[in-house]
Amino acid sequence: MDEKQLKQLMAGLDSRGFLGGTAEQDIAVYAALGLPLFSVNVQRDFGEERMFFKLTFELKEDQKNYELTNIHAKYRRPIVIDRQMAKEVDIPKLEDKMASVEWETYWRKVKLGLDTTDIGAKISSIYSGLASILNGEVQDREIALLIMYKYWPEDMFNLLAGNLEFGKEAYERSMDYRLGTYPTLTAEQAFLMMSERIDSLENMLMELEIPDKLAENLPYILYGKLRAAPDNAELKMDFNAEDFHILLTIPLKKTDGWYHLHDYTIEATAFPPIAHGIFNGVDSDKLDKKLASIDWRNDPDLVSRSEEKGELEFDTEVEQLEEELFRLALDPEGKIVADQLRVRHFLGAPFFDSTISDEAWDWLASLPKKTTQFPVHILVPQAIQMMSGRPVLAASQEWNSPDDIWLKVNYKVTGTGNIVSIAGISEKDLDAMVHTLPVNHYEKGKIATGLKNGKRVYAVSTYGTLVGVELSTDADRLYLYNKQGKSIPFNFRLDPDWKPVDIEEKRFIAQRKVTGTNKRKGKNL
């Protein structure tokens, strides 16, 4: 291994945080010997936490260069010693002395037989204090071992005290990283994962109820985000939900070494009605309904890879729909419709979103947008419902809120929304009104829960017809409508002076479309 190759190897390790202590010298010595494989130890401190890495290198087939093939990582959580005295030894003062010694350098000199008289007096004082504590009671011995475990290099501790039992397993965990699986792993990424910071963030994001499909590769996404901006990272996700394209932005703030979610922002782009028609023999309205019947984002059977041909193969129905989209796009006006259909149905769907054209992306970017910031106690699905104009029950978000207070989004002229509280139907009244609906009893709880969370809810009535139920934007009444969006007058309170909703409200209801009622598999975003 020549000098240039060695420098390249060192530069790569340094960029990933794997150089420190005596690692560089050790690698140079072992590489010069031409060993077929060797390992070196690296220690990295992250505040009061510590990572130990054992890096394994193997000689390449050309026997001219070494490559890193395995990383054994061990994480050690902070060690706090709360004793003040043991066997008349002042523990805090002893810790100060231990912390003032460069133990890696000292131990290397000891192993090489080099002179250590420059710190001999301090080392003697430390050893004397440790020996006094070791000669005490059992609990004193544990304190001494814990101090050595905390400050000494791992190989020094293992050699001098590693055979003594004191429960160090409570402080550490280990993991092997094969470079074939983690080719670009850094010391910081390993720390974020093994210290459970990534797990903690992932759990918080799952509790926020981000879409399931977006959560699949979340740990790897978080590694990348936190590595690029460790103190002020930001997670961005875009997906379709109902009649909107959603851009979700969640700040990941670092406080006292740990990450937390802060108020997140949703930018919603409303899809305008598609100018349906018949283009090149394709009825775009019927095609739209066919596309809506398939869960493009979650159905694993839509695309497969042929083992014989090594090519992608599509479900028969998918092939037919793709062929209709192709024919539709041959017409100039039909192409505009086809682009809009692909955006509405394929965005965020594995493989299929790659078929969205640049023109379609430009169309999406040109549409007007609404933006609202939400506190983290409002879940993402509820936030989306609020941006759709439907309120959510405040009591489902804030435990001490009155049961007739609802949260909704008001929009300013600029399209920026703010969350306001309004008085509306009480939770008790809402449950009573839902109870009067002619639907199966087991559906009524689902309907009430959905309405409190701002959803449009669909159920099959006892007469076999599909009924939509929705809360008004002012949370003061319920609307019923059929599959075509036509209003169904219903006297919930059995009021003898009740009158059906007026024509404007009927028109409002008629704009509602029943969508996504027959998904094939998985959950619809």
Side-chain angles (χ1 to χ4, degrees):
M1 188 176 193
D2 60 33
E3 185 177 350
K4 181 180 178 181
Q5 291 171 326
L6 183 61
K7 285 183 177 180
Q8 288 175 341
L9 178 62
M10 297 297 186
L13 293 172
D14 190 36
S15 68
R16 294 162 64 176
F18 288 128
L19 280 189
T22 64
E24 189 169 353
Q25 299 96 308
D26 293 341
I27 291 171
V29 169
Y30 295 144
L33 294 174
L35 299 172
L37 78 164
F38 61 86
S39 297
V40 298
N41 297 317
V42 178
Q43 176 181 306
R44 284 285 311 274
D45 288 343
F46 294 86
E48 293 295 315
E49 297 161 278
R50 180 170 291 176
M51 292 291 297
F52 300 93
F53 299 100
K54 184 177 183 179
L55 311 179
T56 299
F57 299 86
E58 295 183 16
L59 196 61
K60 290 184 177 180
E61 287 187 13
D62 59 11
Q63 298 190 8
K64 295 180 180 179
N65 205 352
Y66 284 92
E67 65 177 343
L68 179 63
T69 58
N70 191 75
I71 300 171
H72 178 78
K74 180 161 63 178
Y75 164 78
R76 181 188 292 175
R77 69 179 179 86
I79 298 172
V80 179
I81 301 171
D82 55 10
R83 285 277 297 277
Q84 296 299 309
M85 299 292 293
K87 288 289 288 183
E88 300 182 355
V89 176
D90 187 312
I91 300 300
K93 287 185 179 179
L94 179 58
E95 280 207 78
D96 287 342
K97 291 180 183 178
M98 292 284 286
S100 69
V101 176
E102 290 286 344
W103 288 103
E104 286 276 359
T105 302
Y106 168 76
W107 184 239
R108 180 176 177 81
K109 287 181 177 180
V110 169
K111 290 190 293 183
L112 295 175
L114 301 177
D115 181 40
T116 60
T117 54
D118 56 330
I119 58 170
K122 182 184 291 187
I123 296 294
S124 295
S125 174
I126 290 171
Y127 286 172
S128 175
L130 290 171
S132 294
I133 302 173
L134 282 169
N135 287 319
E137 302 295 332
V138 172
Q139 58 268 32
D140 295 332
R141 289 175 57 80
E142 289 181 352
I143 291 294
L145 289 168
L146 200 56
I147 292 172
M148 292 185 282
Y149 175 69
K150 180 177 180 178
Y151 292 100
W152 283 356
E154 188 175 32
D155 58 342
M156 179 180 178
F157 177 83
N158 288 340
L159 180 65
L160 302 181
N163 62 328
L164 302 177
E165 300 282 341
F166 75 104
K168 66 179 181 180
E169 294 79 10
Y171 293 93
E172 61 186 40
R173 65 179 66 92
S174 301
M175 184 170 178
D176 277 303
Y177 295 95
R178 295 292 301 177
L179 270 294
T181 307
Y182 300 91
T184 61
L185 182 77
T186 67
E188 187 167 12
Q189 285 174 331
F191 167 70
L192 289 172
M193 180 165 63
M194 297 190 69
S195 65
E196 298 184 346
R197 281 165 169 78
I198 293 292
D199 291 342
S200 174
L201 259 183
E202 188 177 5
N203 289 336
M204 285 186 277
L205 287 165
M206 297 305 292
E207 289 174 1
L208 198 58
E209 294 189 11
I210 62 173
D212 290 346
K213 194 65 180 178
L214 302 179
E216 285 186 357
N217 296 315
L218 196 54
Y220 301 100
I221 295 171
L222 290 173
Y223 296 152
K225 295 292 183 182
L226 297 181
R227 182 186 181 192
D231 295 322
N232 231 353
E234 197 174 65
L235 186 64
K236 287 182 179 286
M237 302 175 173
D238 67 319
F239 53 94
N240 286 353
E242 293 194 0
D243 299 325
F244 290 94
H245 172 65
I246 300 294
L247 175 61
L248 173 63
T249 304
I250 307 174
L252 311 175
K253 301 293 185 179
K254 191 176 184 181
T255 307
D256 297 329
W258 285 83
Y259 290 94
H260 306 275
L261 305 185
H262 280 232
D263 293 356
Y264 62 92
T265 301
I266 290 181
E267 181 186 84
T269 304
F271 293 123
I274 294 176
H276 285 302
I278 298 176
F279 309 95
N280 200 27
V282 178
D283 186 326
S284 66
D285 188 34
K286 290 183 178 179
L287 177 57
D288 190 4
K289 290 180 172 62
K290 291 178 188 175
L291 292 168
S293 71
I294 295 176
D295 189 354
W296 297 94
R297 298 168 186 84
N298 297 307
D299 191 335
D301 299 324
L302 300 179
V303 184
S304 60
R305 185 172 293 278
S306 169
E307 294 183 3
E308 295 181 2
K309 301 178 182 178
E311 299 175 352
L312 293 177
E313 293 184 344
F314 298 96
D315 175 90
T316 303
E317 184 179 5
V318 171
E319 284 189 346
Q320 293 172 349
L321 293 174
E322 278 287 357
E323 198 247 331
E324 288 190 55
L325 283 167
F326 175 77
R327 282 167 46 211
L328 187 66
L330 293 176
D331 182 278
E333 292 184 18
K335 184 181 186 309
I336 296 173
V337 174
D339 282 345
Q340 294 179 9
L341 288 174
R342 286 188 184 277
V343 168
R344 290 180 73 115
H345 298 291
F346 291 171
L347 195 148
F351 177 80
F352 294 101
D353 62 358
S354 65
T355 68
I356 299 174
S357 68
D358 291 340
E359 294 88 347
W361 287 114
D362 292 340
W363 168 77
L364 178 62
S366 71
L367 296 176
K369 296 165 175 57
K370 294 180 178 180
T371 303
T372 304
Q373 190 174 75
F374 293 90
V376 292
H377 67 259
I378 295 181
L379 306 181
V380 169
Q382 294 169 333
I384 293 171
Q385 303 298 344
M386 291 170 66
M387 295 194 74
S388 302
R390 294 182 289 275
V392 301
L393 186 66
S396 65
Q397 309 296 324
E398 304 164 357
W399 67 270
N400 59 344
S401 180
D403 75 343
D404 63 345
I405 298 300
W406 296 75
L407 303 176
K408 64 178 289 187
V409 175
N410 275 352
Y411 288 103
K412 303 174 184 177
V413 178
T414 58
T416 301
N418 61 298
I419 301 171
V420 297
S421 300
I422 58 173
I425 301 172
S426 72
E427 185 174 11
K428 181 179 178 181
D429 282 352
L430 178 66
D431 290 338
M433 293 169 72
V434 170
H435 189 72
T436 66
L437 291 174
V439 297
N440 289 327
H441 181 73
Y442 68 86
E443 292 282 358
K444 293 179 180 179
K446 297 178 184 178
I447 294 172
T449 300
L451 293 172
K452 293 169 192 176
N453 287 313
K455 294 181 179 179
R456 295 176 187 165
V457 188
Y458 304 100
V460 177
S461 73
T462 52
Y463 304 103
T465 56
L466 185 68
V467 178
V469 189
E470 185 172 345
L471 190 67
S472 67
T473 56
D474 292 324
D476 58 355
R477 67 183 63 192
L478 289 183
Y479 294 127
L480 301 185
Y481 46 94
N482 67 6
K483 187 175 182 179
Q484 288 71 39
K486 186 175 180 181
S487 174
I488 303 174
F490 194 86
N491 188 356
F492 285 98
R493 301 183 188 276
L494 304 179
D495 181 359
D497 297 322
W498 174 84
K499 293 180 181 180
V501 293
D502 62 36
I503 194 67
E504 285 304 313
E505 289 172 328
K506 286 184 178 181
R507 186 175 297 130
F508 171 79
I509 291 299
Q511 294 173 357
R512 297 292 190 257
K513 301 293 183 182
V514 178
T515 59
T517 59
N518 187 31
K519 295 295 181 187
R520 289 175 51 176
K521 290 186 180 180
K523 294 181 180 178
N524 186 27
L525 293 181

